[in-house]
Amino acid sequence: MKPIYHNIAVNRPLEQLFTYAHDTLLPVGRRVVVPFNNTTQVGIVWQSDVTPEIEVDKILPIQTVFDDEPPLPQQWLDLIEFSARYYHYPLGAAAFVALPTAMRQPEKLSLPKTEEYWTLSDLGRQTTPPRYPKQLVLWNALFSGSLNRQMAKQIHTDANKYLQQWLALGYLKIADKQQPVVLEQKIKLNTEQAMAVETVLQQQDVFAPFLLWGITGSGKTEVYFEMMAEVINNGGQALFLVPEINLTAQLLDRLRRRFPAVETAVLHSGSAKTARSWDYLRAMNGTAKIIVGTRLSIFTPVPRLSLIVVDEEHDNSYKQDNDLRYNARDLAVWRAKYANCPVVLGSATPSLESFQAAQNNRYRLITMKNRANPNARLPEIEIFDVKRQKLNNGLSDKALNLLEENLKNKGLSLVYINRRGFAPALFCGDCGYSFSCPNCSAKMVWHKYQRVLRCHHCDHKIAIPKACPDCGNQDLTAVGYGTQRIEETLKKHFQAAQILRIDSDTIARKDDWSKARQAIENGTADIIIGTQMLAKGHDFGRLNLVIVVNADGSLYSADFRAVEHLFAELMQVAGRAGRAERAGKVFIQTQLPHNPLFSFLKNQDYQAFADNELAQRKQFNAPPTVYAAAIRADAVKIQDALSLLNNALQNFRLPEQVTVYGPAPQLMTRLAGRERVQLFLESPNRQALHTAVTQFSQQLNNSISGDIRVSIDIDPYDC
Ligand code: ADP
Ligand code: ZN
């Protein structure tokens, strides 16, 4: 038999595909196992029936073909090709970043069982429906569509019992095809919301990018749900991207309540290996109608993709900052274009990239200016100058008074500080020695309860020193504040209050967060101390006072995006207050009360902030007014990394319209024992930039040696 040749992508950091032989024709997208440099590797058939470019007697046969798995579809291969090209990352490695762990291994997958779906039989349809409301909901769902056991259980906890009864009575039959069931919307959308839904749905079958700019509490989530319901009813699938999922438990609850009988795939790095690959496959074969997940879910094959929603589109977690450095928000727009469907980027504080795109009419802007709950009011924001104030371990007298008053009124308060641990640094009062991480350019953070100093970058730990290693002085001083220190302050002042600290140290295990949420929702908590993990998307009706301990760090930062992030973060935190009937107050302590950021914040005027910030970016030629790429190198010795970039630069003819900055050390130069340097290529012309990056990286590849590592970051965030 004459062998047929296939080009295969393997999980190696290499640009090219590799040719292997098989005696039958394999479809593209098929997972296989191939011999590779004395190992075996999992591979994906990328091209079938090719004419080999190497001598045929050197071509090895494919070892294993996983032919009971569905092959990855062409749309997925195209997405990977685009991502690899755009982010300048090897194709094979890119493909495997985009697969769930189970599919990256050269082993057979366990496939999801096909479940039976039930619907009402003709007899059932002619019978009088049950009287009890909850049974009736189940009955109606079986009337309008079909359910499997799991979905039925989501509607009624005793569903199994009723399914059995109704089956015995002949009221049910197996459905030949899954019919999605979308239950009635209970909330009536207000005019703004209804307009938003209508505007998007008018464009159901064409590529249409929207920026949904709606203030916190304007009801964006309900808008997403309504649009999703509509496309599902029309036989489509919706992809719903959210920031880190453990922070979005509340959103998932809402999703389940709104779509109890719609098959949903939930994809995030925390789900178990098998569950994740099953969810991936259920999305890929069209069974799952809603695919919800963090940034990595952007790579899920979705055959009938009809809508993409990116919630909190400004969130940094959409950007992956290692390996394939993609931005899921930007890939979402690409996918919508490919699938000819609308994509909705939603936020109260859009990224300047998206806001500029809306101003240039590349995206259509939809605004929602009012809170959805007609009784909810925007909180009052007070900017409080702490420059000449005596602080009580981080908190001003005024902040303590506000907290006390709110306790008396049985309100819920949030004390917000974006730093975990006890204090961000430990100093010697005599000689000024400070404890730095030996591996990173960073101070060690004092964690009082664990009695360690800990690096928040590489997790290096040392026991709390008894004395200064330089001068022997035993009087070491904590500088700055972290959640633990604020907790101590508050416990001292408010002994009867229930104080709940929420940071990634107290929320380490899966159920920690749901327990904390329960305490908040049941009303047992009085004061929450929280980091930014609390700022995102949570809706605590009772919360009516927010104290921001210190917001100044970002205002001193050399990162030009720091101000944008701070503004978004503070608007988000402020948005947590006064979502229900009680008016909210936000109290911000700062040493820089005259920074313009605070006047925009006080007026809750995102537009003015964005206009001002964009004008500055333009003046300094910074993104998004230009396109940028960072070329980075790291090595044990900084000189090695620097010379590599410098040499490559010398042999490089800069294309027109492209400017180079650097090389220079990264802001945080030393990380985990390596020195990091970078240069930036920038251009107003995207194509010119990409050409420059390609040519420059060829130069680099020619001269790279030793232990130097290089990476390319397109549209970078780090600096
Ligand atoms: P956002 O996502 O814009 O922050 P949400 O969708 O979370 O806003 O809505 C904020 C609050 O308002 C929620 O408690 C939600 O249930 C409520 N809500 C949303 N839409 C309406 C509406 N049309 N009528 C009454 N309440 C609403
Ligand atoms: Zn470190």
Side-chain angles (χ1 to χ4, degrees), residues 437 439-440 455 458:
C437 173
N439 311 317
C440 305
C455 172
C458 71

Side-chain angles (χ1 to χ4, degrees), residues 424-426 435-437 442-446 453-455 460 462:
L426 193 60
F435 292 84
S436 299
C437 173
K443 300 264 182 271
M444 303 283 283
V445 177
W446 179 13
L453 296 182
R454 202 161 131 190
C455 172
H460 179 73
I462 56 172

Side-chain angles (χ1 to χ4, degrees), residues 187-190 193 217-222 254 372 539 579:
I187 290 182
K188 192 173 163 356
L189 296 186
N190 63 33
Q193 289 172 311
S218 57
K220 295 184 288 299
T221 314
E222 298 300 333
R254 276 174 80 176
D539 193 357
R579 283 164 85 89

